[in-house]
Every structure is written in structure tokens, then in C-alpha cells.
Amino acid sequence: MKDAYQFPDLASIVRIVQITDPHLFASDDGRLLGVPTIQSFQAVLDAIQQEPFDYDFILATGDLVQDHNREGYHRFAQMVKPLKKPLFWLEGNHDLQPQMNNALALYAQIQPHKQILAGEKWQILMLDSHIEGIPKGALSEMQLTWLAEKLAEYPERYVLITLHHNILPTHSAWLDQHSLANPDQLANVLAPFRHNIKGILHGHIHQEVDGEWLGYRILATPSTCIQFKPNCDQFTLDRLPQGWRELSLLPDGTVHTQVKRLSHNAFLPDFNGWGY
């Protein structure tokens, strides 16, 4: 993995925007369950730029493309360029390597680093939980070893951990079978650093969560395309608009965060759709 990316000159409060699960297509007219994902992603990017939130960088937490086409990553990179801030990414279950890495590496704005040293107080660690070819996630021994090493490397820093897959159940049987498969192994790695870890941030479930797992704060963020309705054993889409998350990491370890959504509902899905 690359060495850490350092933001030494940030203000005392580190501000981040998270975008997740855009499910882009190579073609202009690609739709996911009736939602034109390019147009809905563009609407979210436009809304982010209209907000007063002065963020330092962007986290894109997986499922950037839907059709496994390398051109979708080029489209993603071109669309985020107007944000004009460094962007860091991780893989989701719909992403494809090495196409993802090879395409995104061509854009100076988009960084390959998975360890971000933000100011003097924080580090952000980005984990790869995708398993090629299947929807559920897992953290490999290599990922867990890397995580343990990075947590030990800066024991004085607060930590925000990101990955694609969810740890907490959504209480939706169809979706929970695709959660992180080895949370106990993750818990074992985190335990010696419990007081440093101030949040675990993910995508994948296309819905908002602010919950707790073993005393750790868990945050999930809406997709920029379709939304999944929680507490539904059968595949069910929600009517909520597309969204993103703003995070402020304070120098005392506090995390202030809120989900923002589009102010309109122009991108409703086909509610008769079944799976994706």
C-alpha cells in the first residue's frame, strides 16, 4: 500500500464529505431500477457545491460503478473534478479490480492512499472489504494486519475507519446476508485501541444509520442513486431522495456529522423492481 497521505496544515477541525454507491454506467443512459445514476450523481455533486460546508477532502466508499466497465471509473473521475478537493476511495462489491485502480490512478485529484493523516489529531484508515464476485464482504488477514499496524503506528491519534460493508444488521433479511462476514476478527484488532476509534463509516446499505456496535459509533450513508428501505425482509426500495454525508472531526475526538439529501425527489426508482 502507499505511504500515508498527509494534510499537515489543516485547521483544528477536519471537515470531510462522504459520497457512496453511485453505481455509474459507462453509457449516458444507464439506469439502475429506473434511476438514471449519472444524473442523480450529478445532482448530488451540484448540491454539495451549493452547501456552505467547507470540506477538506472527499471519501468515496465503494460501488462507484454498476456495469463493471472501466469507462465508468473515468466518468466518475471526470464528474468529481469540479469539487476541486482530494478524493480517496475504496472498493465495493460491485467494483472491479484492477480496472478500478488503473483507471482512477490517471487522475491527479484522486488519491490511492488508504491512510490519511489529517492535521495533528486524526487519522482515517480505509479498508477493502470486497470479495470479488460476491455481494457480502470480509476483511482479509492482510487487511487486518495492516489495520493493526496503522493503529499502532500513531497511538496518539483519533481514528475514523471506513469500509464498504455494514457491520450492524439492517433488519432486512435480503440485505443482511451481504454484510461483513468477519466482524469478530475486526473487533479483536480494534480492542487494544478502543479509546482512539471514534467512528466506523460505510456505505453498501443505501440508507442512513447512526448506531453503536460494541461501543463504537457506526455511520452509514445514503446512496447517490436508489435507497433501500430498512426493516424489510424482502427487497424494498425507499422513496427518500439521494444523499451524502458531512463530517467534522474535532480536536478533542468528537465527531459531528449529518446526512444531507437532495431537496427534491426527481429520481424515484421503479418500485416494481426486484433486486439489482
Side-chain angles (χ1 to χ4, degrees):
M1 291 186 181
K2 294 279 186 181
D3 293 335
Y5 190 104
Q6 299 193 43
F7 288 99
D9 300 324
L10 293 187
S12 59
I13 299 176
V14 178
R15 294 179 172 87
I16 305 169
V17 161
Q18 180 202 10
I19 51 178
T20 196
D21 298 87
H23 292 270
L24 302 179
F25 293 83
S27 64
D28 293 336
D29 57 355
R31 289 176 176 263
L32 180 59
L33 294 168
V35 173
T37 61
I38 292 168
Q39 288 90 335
S40 65
F41 186 47
Q42 186 61 61
V44 167
L45 297 178
D46 291 344
I48 289 171
Q49 292 179 83
Q50 293 165 11
E51 289 287 325
F53 187 69
D54 186 18
Y55 54 93
D56 300 300
F57 56 91
I58 307 143
L59 301 177
T61 50
D63 281 0
L64 305 191
V65 306
Q66 173 67 18
D67 59 359
H68 292 187
N69 191 311
R70 189 173 186 268
E71 294 307 311
Y73 296 114
H74 289 296
R75 184 183 292 278
F76 173 85
Q78 291 156 4
M79 292 180 71
V80 300
K81 188 175 180 180
L83 298 181
K84 298 180 181 179
K85 296 291 177 71
L87 183 146
F88 303 84
W89 57 269
L90 52 76
E91 300 90 337
N93 51 290
H94 284 270
D95 290 309
L96 195 63
Q97 293 289 25
Q99 291 89 331
M100 183 183 198
N101 186 68
N102 291 344
L104 296 179
L106 298 176
Y107 299 88
Q109 176 190 13
I110 299 180
Q111 304 298 322
H113 306 78
K114 306 307 176 191
Q115 180 186 26
I116 307 165
L117 302 180
E120 297 180 354
K121 298 291 187 180
W122 284 88
Q123 70 167 327
I124 294 89
L125 300 176
M126 304 187 74
L127 301 175
D128 175 7
S129 61
H130 98 290
I131 307 171
E132 188 173 350
I134 60 175
K136 73 176 180 180
L139 295 170
S140 67
E141 285 300 324
M142 184 171 69
Q143 286 286 300
L144 292 166
T145 299
W146 179 84
L147 175 61
E149 290 173 352
K150 297 308 175 184
L151 289 169
E153 185 177 5
Y154 292 99
E156 75 285 2
R157 286 181 177 260
Y158 302 118
V159 183
L160 177 68
I161 292 172
T162 68
L163 71 165
H164 179 69
H165 288 84
N166 58 303
I167 299 171
L168 288 175
T170 65
H171 306 293
S172 299
W174 75 270
L175 185 54
D176 286 338
Q177 64 183 321
H178 305 316
S179 302
L180 187 73
N182 57 341
D184 291 345
Q185 288 181 275
L186 174 61
N188 290 338
V189 172
L190 299 183
F193 310 96
R194 168 174 297 277
H195 298 297
N196 300 73
I197 296 157
K198 300 303 179 181
I200 301 175
L201 177 69
H202 66 85
H204 186 54
I205 58 173
H206 293 224
Q207 58 194 258
E208 178 182 357
V209 170
D210 189 341
E212 187 175 290
W213 169 70
L214 302 180
Y216 302 108
R217 190 178 184 185
I218 301 289
L219 300 167
T221 300
S223 165
T224 68
C225 61
I226 59 174
Q227 312 301 308
F228 299 148
K229 193 169 186 177
N231 305 307
C232 297
D233 281 344
Q234 302 295 323
F235 180 86
T236 308
L237 295 172
D238 211 335
R239 302 186 66 87
L240 290 171
Q242 292 69 25
W244 67 97
R245 182 180 290 276
E246 298 174 351
L247 301 105
S248 297
L249 312 183
L250 276 59
D252 66 355
T254 302
V255 178
H256 290 168
T257 184
Q258 60 180 325
V259 163
K260 297 288 187 71
R261 292 183 185 269
L262 296 180
S263 60
H264 58 79
N265 224 334
F267 302 107
L268 285 172
D270 175 6
F271 290 100
N272 294 317
W274 184 259
Y276 76 116

